[in-house]
């Protein structure tokens, strides 16, 4: 197995020291993510690329590595390749014939009935022109395969070769990467998350840009909502940011909401609530030594998100507030959530809104808001901040209340059914098969709607590879009143 990883173009235009730092960071990240798959995987760094290789030729491992590469920030694209020693180019005819023969072995059968062209990218290698190699290999493939012919523009198949100083590579497949900058190459941020489309997508965008993204959740009164937000934050981290540890912080805001409902004029409640959240998040960012906050706000999406209201909201803090979605349409936000695998999850997340104004202001006046806040007991806000709960994102199940903990089992009995809740892409890469055991597939984002339809007389054991998502979802279902479930955690 051998992959060539190309850097995101914005990395390549950086100064030499910055480019070296970013490339080194990407190498470190990939080593961290790939090591659990196979300890023998090697990651090597060069000026214009990173190579990932291992002795194994198993297709399952290759597919798992490709999955990691496709979701790692900083990767423009990656190609599965077969490397060969570079022949002596001083004997041009013999060398190019050898390159043709190797290409024919790998691509000959795949060209049947297809139009094709050959593209050769040459590094700092002298003595020949890329176009001459393309013509030789292309002509040989056209004459000696059942291809439909050479087509230089928009062919069915493009056969790629790369020639470097001591080796050449025949590319088997090229796939797009995530783009962006390597995670950890920028300073960290604290993202205010609710689990909905907006805060989820804004968190993803900061991760993609190479920003280590911690999570802050304001619990307005619903435990089910907190569990669900932990699930989606964990999913984002595991899929796109698992090279770096981050924190998940819950701030209990029930008392703050109650104080607003009792003391603040109805039309001003939404803006006041956002200001209280920003105050709390700013204090938390200071404690965590974080310089910026992230929100999912977009202009005019709801009443509190007018330019006037956002200006009044931001007045309470000197901390930088980043709003990645500020000019995005809702449809574009939902499309992004679909692309990253969170659309169905966000659509079904249990929401809790503690402050609903009948006629919310869209043009808040600072002096009016400040007057309303004189009625608010700031000790309530300070108490909420002091009572925050902070856990590592990979330990979120440890923060569940005892009464929603779910039993974990290693062995399956006759009346038990395994429910594989992994994302379909993950399940396809590593299918779960157990002899004599019924296994059904319900992706985590469909559990809320599909679980109630399962037979009540059976017991269901939720399964995911690391056991965290399954524990969280089982806790959520148990909290909703279902008792016939557990978590399957094989040794």
């Amino acid at each position: 197995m051998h992959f060539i990883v190309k850097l995101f173009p914005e990395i390549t235009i950086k100064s030499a020291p910055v480019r070296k730092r970013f490339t080194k960071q990407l190498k470190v990240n990939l080593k961290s993510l790939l090591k659990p798959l196979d300890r023998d995987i090697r990651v090597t760094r060069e000026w214009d690329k990173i190579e990932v290789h291992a002795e194994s030729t198993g297709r399952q491992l290759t597919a798992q590595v490709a999955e990691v590469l496709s979701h790692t920030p900083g990767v423009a694209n990656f190609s599965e390749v077969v490397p060969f020693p570079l022949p002596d180019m001083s004997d041009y005819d013999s060398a190019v014939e050898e390159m043709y023969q190797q290409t024919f072995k790998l691509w000959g059968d795949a060209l049947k009935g297809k139009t094709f062209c050959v593209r050769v990218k040459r590094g700092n290698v002298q003595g020949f022109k890329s176009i001459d190699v393309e013509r030789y290999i292309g002509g040989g493939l056209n004459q000696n395969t059942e291809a439909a012919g050479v087509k230089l523009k928009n062919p069915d198949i493009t056969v790629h070769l790369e020639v470097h100083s001591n080796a050449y590579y025949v590319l088997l497949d090229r796939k797009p990467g995530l783009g962006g900058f390597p995670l950890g190459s920028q300073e960290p941020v604290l993202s205010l998350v609710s689990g909905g489309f907006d805060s989820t997508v804004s968190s993803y965008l900061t991760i993609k840009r190479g920003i280590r993204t911690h999570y802050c959740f304001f619990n307005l009164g619903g435990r089910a909502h907190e569990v669900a937000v932990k699930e989606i934050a964990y999913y984002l981290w595991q899929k796109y940011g698992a090279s770096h540890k981050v924190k998940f912080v819950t701030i209990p805001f029930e008392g703050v909401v109650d104080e607003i409902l009792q003391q603040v004029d109805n039309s001003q409640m939404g803006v006041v609530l956002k200001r209280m959240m920003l105050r709390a998040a700013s204090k938390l960012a200071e404690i965590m030594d974080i310089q910026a906050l992230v929100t999912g706000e977009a202009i005019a999406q709801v009443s509190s998100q007018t330019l006037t209201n956002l200006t009044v909201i931001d007045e309470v803090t000197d901390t930088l507030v980043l709003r990645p979605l500020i000019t995005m349409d809702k449809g574009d936000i939902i499309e992004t959530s679909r692309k990253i695998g969170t659309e169905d999850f966000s659509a079904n997340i249990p929401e809790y809104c503690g402050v609903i104004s009948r006629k919310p202001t869209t043009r808040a006046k600072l002096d009016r808001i400040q007057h309303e806040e004189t009625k608010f007991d700031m000790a309530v806000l300070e108490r909420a901040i002091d009572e925050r709960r902070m856990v590592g994102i990979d330990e979120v199940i440890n923060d569940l209340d005892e009464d929603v903990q779910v039993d974990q089992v290693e062995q399956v009995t006759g009346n038990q059914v395994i429910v594989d809740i992994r994302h379909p892409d993950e399940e396809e890469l590593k299918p779960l098969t157990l002899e004599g055991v019924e296994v059904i597939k319900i992706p985590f984002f469909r559990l809320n709607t599909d679980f109630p339809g399962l037979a009540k007389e059976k017991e269901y054991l939720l399964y995911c590879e690391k056991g965290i998502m399954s524990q969280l979802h089982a806790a959520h279902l148990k909290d909703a009143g279902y008792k016939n479930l557990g978590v399957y955690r094989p040794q």
Side-chain angles (χ1 to χ4, degrees):
M1 178 199 70
H2 199 122
F3 285 94
I4 292 179
V5 179
K6 294 301 178 68
L7 309 175
F8 180 56
E10 285 188 43
I11 298 175
T12 65
I13 62 174
K14 300 294 184 186
S15 66
V18 174
R19 177 173 177 169
K20 182 178 180 181
R21 176 169 63 86
F22 278 29
T23 308
K24 183 178 180 180
Q25 182 69 66
L26 181 55
K27 174 188 173 183
V28 170
N29 293 352
L30 288 175
K31 288 180 69 174
S32 171
L33 294 168
L34 295 173
K35 185 177 180 180
L37 299 181
D38 189 323
R39 297 183 64 87
D40 294 329
I41 291 178
R42 301 186 305 279
V43 181
T44 56
R45 172 172 61 95
E46 296 186 24
W47 178 246
D48 61 342
K49 65 181 183 295
I50 288 176
E51 297 192 35
V52 176
H53 37 111
E55 295 300 323
S56 172
T57 57
R59 295 314 300 171
Q60 184 179 85
L61 178 61
T62 300
Q64 289 176 313
V65 171
E67 178 77 2
V68 170
L69 296 177
S70 67
H71 296 134
T72 300
V75 175
N77 60 72
F78 58 96
S79 302
E80 184 183 358
V81 304
V82 178
F84 298 98
L86 185 67
D88 183 2
M89 297 306 295
S90 63
D91 184 356
Y92 176 79
D93 292 339
S94 175
V96 76
E97 173 64 18
E98 179 182 330
M99 295 166 70
Y100 158 70
Q101 291 293 342
Q102 298 294 1
T103 306
F104 174 82
K105 291 177 184 177
L106 295 170
W107 279 102
D109 293 340
L111 297 180
K112 183 177 181 179
K114 306 288 186 180
T115 60
F116 77 98
C117 72
V118 177
R119 297 300 182 199
V120 175
K121 182 178 180 181
R122 179 170 57 91
N124 188 24
V125 183
Q126 305 301 319
F128 69 97
K129 295 180 179 180
S130 297
I131 192 170
D132 293 334
V133 179
E134 291 172 355
R135 286 170 175 166
Y136 188 98
I137 296 177
L141 293 174
N142 193 39
Q143 294 176 20
N144 297 298
T145 69
E146 298 181 49
V150 174
K151 186 178 180 183
L152 299 181
K153 187 175 182 180
N154 298 322
D156 296 325
I157 294 175
T158 300
V159 178
H160 291 277
L161 284 82
E162 291 191 9
V163 183
H164 297 277
S165 58
N166 58 357
Y168 71 95
Y169 303 93
V170 180
L171 278 63
L172 301 181
D173 189 23
R174 174 178 288 170
K175 294 181 179 179
L178 194 63
F181 291 147
L183 198 62
S185 61
Q186 314 298 317
E187 295 88 345
V189 296
L190 181 64
S191 183
L192 282 58
V193 292
S194 67
F197 295 108
D198 302 338
S199 63
T200 300
V201 171
S202 63
S203 299
Y204 159 77
L205 291 175
T206 55
I207 294 171
K208 179 183 175 183
R209 199 61 179 171
I211 303 172
R212 187 177 181 182
T213 302
H214 301 270
Y215 301 94
C216 176
F217 169 67
F218 293 98
N219 194 334
L220 304 182
R223 185 173 64 184
H225 187 190
E226 179 180 355
V227 171
V229 174
K230 285 178 177 178
E231 292 168 348
I232 201 164
Y234 178 81
Y235 171 83
L236 279 178
W237 171 77
Q238 183 186 42
K239 196 170 186 70
Y240 301 104
S243 59
H244 288 69
K245 300 293 187 182
V246 300
K247 299 293 186 181
F248 187 98
V249 186
T250 299
I251 300 181
F253 242 49
E254 300 96 323
V256 174
V257 169
D258 185 57
E259 184 75 3
I260 290 174
L261 290 171
Q262 292 187 55
Q263 305 297 339
V264 176
D265 181 87
N266 185 279
S267 63
Q268 312 298 310
M269 291 193 302
V271 172
V272 171
L273 177 62
K274 288 294 184 70
R275 281 166 62 93
M276 295 300 171
M277 288 180 172
L278 213 52
R279 285 187 175 102
S282 299
K283 179 64 175 177
L284 180 59
E286 180 183 353
I287 294 169
M288 298 175 68
D289 194 24
I290 290 174
Q291 300 180 37
L293 306 176
V294 177
T295 76
E297 291 157 322
I299 287 294
Q301 190 175 125
V302 295
S303 61
S304 66
Q305 295 175 18
T306 63
L307 285 176
T308 300
N309 284 359
L310 290 175
T311 301
V312 172
I313 291 168
D314 284 0
E315 188 270 340
V316 301
T317 183
D318 293 327
T319 306
L320 176 64
V321 180
L322 303 177
R323 294 183 170 94
L325 312 184
I326 196 65
T327 61
M328 289 183 66
D329 298 332
K330 190 68 174 184
D332 294 335
I333 296 170
I334 294 175
E335 177 60 30
T336 302
S337 74
R338 182 177 303 125
K339 170 186 168 185
I340 65 177
T342 61
E343 179 193 19
D344 292 328
F345 193 85
S346 290
N348 291 295
I349 197 166
E351 291 282 0
Y352 179 90
C353 187
V355 173
I356 301 177
S357 299
R358 290 186 295 274
K359 293 183 178 181
T361 181
T362 58
R363 299 183 63 83
K365 296 184 182 301
L366 180 58
D367 57 351
R368 172 72 186 278
I369 292 294
Q370 289 174 334
H371 172 72
E372 292 297 324
E373 289 182 346
T374 61
K375 311 172 191 176
F376 186 95
D377 183 1
M378 288 297 177
V380 176
L381 180 63
E382 293 297 327
R383 186 159 53 249
I385 298 172
D386 291 341
E387 294 175 355
R388 66 187 180 277
R389 299 190 304 279
M390 181 185 299
V391 295
I393 192 67
D394 55 338
E395 300 173 345
V396 288
I397 60 171
N398 298 334
D399 202 34
L400 295 174
D401 294 338
E402 289 185 4
D403 59 340
V404 293
Q405 293 286 349
V406 180
D407 292 337
Q408 300 186 34
V409 301
E410 299 177 5
Q411 301 293 330
V412 184
T413 61
N415 196 45
Q416 293 175 323
V417 177
I418 303 295
V419 182
D420 191 337
I421 69 166
R422 292 175 295 171
H423 192 281
D425 292 344
E426 184 183 357
E427 187 277 326
E428 184 178 353
L429 285 174
K430 198 173 182 180
L432 176 67
T433 55
L434 298 172
E435 186 176 353
V437 176
E438 182 181 358
V439 178
I440 61 177
K441 304 171 187 177
I442 303 179
F444 64 88
F445 49 77
R446 290 215 320 262
L447 268 178
N448 287 342
T449 55
D450 289 9
F451 193 85
L454 299 179
K456 303 295 188 294
E457 65 275 9
K458 293 186 177 181
E459 182 180 3
Y460 299 93
L461 303 177
L462 307 190
Y463 169 78
C464 68
E465 187 165 1
K466 294 186 178 180
I468 295 179
M469 290 286 281
S470 54
Q471 181 73 29
L472 286 167
H473 279 281
H476 174 58
L477 289 169
K478 183 178 179 182
D479 193 49
Y482 297 99
K483 306 301 182 185
N484 58 330
L485 77 162
V487 170
Y488 175 54
R489 288 289 288 148
Q491 287 283 4

Short mmCIF file of all heavy atoms in Angstrom, two decimals, residues 350-370:
data_model
loop_
_atom_site.label_atom_id
_atom_site.label_comp_id
_atom_site.label_asym_id
_atom_site.label_seq_id
_atom_site.Cartn_x
_atom_site.Cartn_y
_atom_site.Cartn_z
N PRO A 350 -32.95 16.99 19.47
CA PRO A 350 -33.98 17.60 20.32
C PRO A 350 -33.57 19.00 20.75
O PRO A 350 -32.52 19.20 21.34
CB PRO A 350 -34.04 16.65 21.53
CG PRO A 350 -32.70 16.00 21.56
CD PRO A 350 -32.24 15.89 20.14
N GLU A 351 -34.35 19.98 20.38
CA GLU A 351 -34.06 21.37 20.73
C GLU A 351 -34.83 21.78 21.98
O GLU A 351 -35.88 21.25 22.29
CB GLU A 351 -34.43 22.31 19.57
CG GLU A 351 -33.53 22.16 18.35
CD GLU A 351 -32.20 22.86 18.52
OE1 GLU A 351 -31.97 23.46 19.59
OE2 GLU A 351 -31.38 22.79 17.59
N TYR A 352 -34.25 22.76 22.68
CA TYR A 352 -34.95 23.33 23.82
C TYR A 352 -34.72 24.83 23.78
O TYR A 352 -33.58 25.28 23.84
CB TYR A 352 -34.44 22.77 25.15
CG TYR A 352 -35.15 23.39 26.35
CD1 TYR A 352 -36.30 22.82 26.86
CD2 TYR A 352 -34.65 24.54 26.94
CE1 TYR A 352 -36.95 23.38 27.94
CE2 TYR A 352 -35.30 25.11 28.03
CZ TYR A 352 -36.45 24.52 28.52
OH TYR A 352 -37.09 25.09 29.59
N CYS A 353 -35.76 25.60 23.64
CA CYS A 353 -35.64 27.05 23.61
C CYS A 353 -36.31 27.63 24.84
O CYS A 353 -37.53 27.54 25.00
CB CYS A 353 -36.27 27.63 22.34
SG CYS A 353 -35.96 29.40 22.16
N GLY A 354 -35.52 28.18 25.72
CA GLY A 354 -36.06 28.70 26.98
C GLY A 354 -36.55 30.11 26.89
O GLY A 354 -37.24 30.59 27.78
N VAL A 355 -36.19 30.84 25.84
CA VAL A 355 -36.58 32.25 25.70
C VAL A 355 -37.19 32.46 24.33
O VAL A 355 -36.49 32.41 23.32
CB VAL A 355 -35.36 33.18 25.89
CG1 VAL A 355 -35.75 34.61 25.58
CG2 VAL A 355 -34.82 33.08 27.31
N ILE A 356 -38.49 32.66 24.27
CA ILE A 356 -39.18 32.94 23.01
C ILE A 356 -39.95 34.25 23.18
O ILE A 356 -40.92 34.32 23.94
CB ILE A 356 -40.15 31.80 22.62
CG1 ILE A 356 -39.38 30.48 22.48
CG2 ILE A 356 -40.86 32.14 21.32
CD1 ILE A 356 -40.26 29.30 22.17
N SER A 357 -39.52 35.26 22.46
CA SER A 357 -40.19 36.56 22.53
C SER A 357 -41.35 36.59 21.55
O SER A 357 -41.26 36.07 20.44
CB SER A 357 -39.21 37.69 22.22
OG SER A 357 -38.15 37.72 23.14
N ARG A 358 -42.44 37.26 21.97
CA ARG A 358 -43.58 37.39 21.06
C ARG A 358 -43.27 38.35 19.92
O ARG A 358 -43.60 38.10 18.78
CB ARG A 358 -44.81 37.87 21.85
CG ARG A 358 -45.37 36.83 22.80
CD ARG A 358 -46.66 37.31 23.44
NE ARG A 358 -46.43 38.48 24.30
CZ ARG A 358 -46.06 38.40 25.58
NH1 ARG A 358 -45.84 37.20 26.14
NH2 ARG A 358 -45.88 39.49 26.29
N LYS A 359 -42.64 39.44 20.22
CA LYS A 359 -42.25 40.42 19.20
C LYS A 359 -40.79 40.83 19.46
O LYS A 359 -40.53 41.91 19.99
CB LYS A 359 -43.17 41.64 19.23
CG LYS A 359 -44.60 41.33 18.81
CD LYS A 359 -45.44 42.61 18.79
CE LYS A 359 -46.87 42.33 18.34
NZ LYS A 359 -47.69 43.57 18.30
N PRO A 360 -39.86 39.97 19.11
CA PRO A 360 -38.45 40.26 19.43
C PRO A 360 -37.94 41.47 18.65
O PRO A 360 -38.28 41.67 17.49
CB PRO A 360 -37.74 38.98 18.99
CG PRO A 360 -38.62 38.39 17.93
CD PRO A 360 -40.02 38.71 18.35
N THR A 361 -37.11 42.24 19.30
CA THR A 361 -36.54 43.40 18.65
C THR A 361 -35.51 42.99 17.61
O THR A 361 -34.73 42.06 17.81
CB THR A 361 -35.88 44.35 19.66
OG1 THR A 361 -35.36 45.49 18.97
CG2 THR A 361 -34.76 43.68 20.44
N THR A 362 -35.53 43.69 16.49
CA THR A 362 -34.50 43.48 15.47
C THR A 362 -33.54 44.67 15.40
O THR A 362 -32.56 44.63 14.66
CB THR A 362 -35.14 43.29 14.07
OG1 THR A 362 -35.94 44.45 13.77
CG2 THR A 362 -36.01 42.04 14.05
N ARG A 363 -33.85 45.71 16.16
CA ARG A 363 -33.00 46.91 16.19
C ARG A 363 -32.80 47.32 17.66
O ARG A 363 -33.28 48.36 18.11
CB ARG A 363 -33.61 48.04 15.38
CG ARG A 363 -33.77 47.70 13.90
CD ARG A 363 -34.31 48.88 13.10
NE ARG A 363 -33.39 50.00 13.12
CZ ARG A 363 -32.35 50.13 12.31
NH1 ARG A 363 -32.08 49.17 11.41
NH2 ARG A 363 -31.56 51.17 12.37
N ALA A 364 -32.09 46.45 18.37
CA ALA A 364 -31.89 46.70 19.80
C ALA A 364 -31.07 47.97 20.02
O ALA A 364 -30.14 48.27 19.27
CB ALA A 364 -31.17 45.50 20.43
N LYS A 365 -31.43 48.71 21.05
CA LYS A 365 -30.69 49.91 21.44
C LYS A 365 -29.87 49.59 22.68
O LYS A 365 -30.39 49.04 23.65
CB LYS A 365 -31.65 51.06 21.71
CG LYS A 365 -32.44 51.49 20.47
CD LYS A 365 -33.31 52.70 20.76
CE LYS A 365 -34.12 53.10 19.54
NZ LYS A 365 -33.25 53.41 18.37
N LEU A 366 -28.60 49.94 22.65
CA LEU A 366 -27.68 49.55 23.71
C LEU A 366 -28.14 50.07 25.06
O LEU A 366 -28.12 49.32 26.05
CB LEU A 366 -26.27 50.07 23.40
CG LEU A 366 -25.19 49.73 24.44
CD1 LEU A 366 -25.08 48.22 24.64
CD2 LEU A 366 -23.85 50.31 24.02
N ASP A 367 -28.59 51.33 25.13
CA ASP A 367 -29.00 51.87 26.42
C ASP A 367 -30.22 51.14 26.97
O ASP A 367 -30.34 50.91 28.17
CB ASP A 367 -29.26 53.37 26.33
CG ASP A 367 -30.29 53.73 25.28
OD1 ASP A 367 -30.68 52.86 24.49
OD2 ASP A 367 -30.69 54.92 25.23
N ARG A 368 -31.13 50.72 26.08
CA ARG A 368 -32.33 49.97 26.52
C ARG A 368 -31.92 48.59 27.05
O ARG A 368 -32.41 48.15 28.10
CB ARG A 368 -33.29 49.82 25.35
CG ARG A 368 -34.48 48.89 25.63
CD ARG A 368 -35.50 49.49 26.57
NE ARG A 368 -36.53 48.55 26.94
CZ ARG A 368 -37.62 48.27 26.20
NH1 ARG A 368 -37.79 48.87 25.01
NH2 ARG A 368 -38.52 47.43 26.62
N ILE A 369 -31.02 47.92 26.34
CA ILE A 369 -30.55 46.60 26.77
C ILE A 369 -29.82 46.70 28.10
O ILE A 369 -30.03 45.89 29.02
CB ILE A 369 -29.64 45.96 25.70
CG1 ILE A 369 -30.45 45.62 24.44
CG2 ILE A 369 -28.96 44.71 26.24
CD1 ILE A 369 -31.48 44.53 24.62
N GLN A 370 -28.97 47.70 28.23
CA GLN A 370 -28.23 47.88 29.48
C GLN A 370 -29.18 48.17 30.64
O GLN A 370 -28.95 47.69 31.76
CB GLN A 370 -27.21 49.01 29.32
CG GLN A 370 -26.04 48.64 28.42
CD GLN A 370 -25.11 49.81 28.16
OE1 GLN A 370 -25.52 50.98 28.23
NE2 GLN A 370 -23.85 49.52 27.86
#
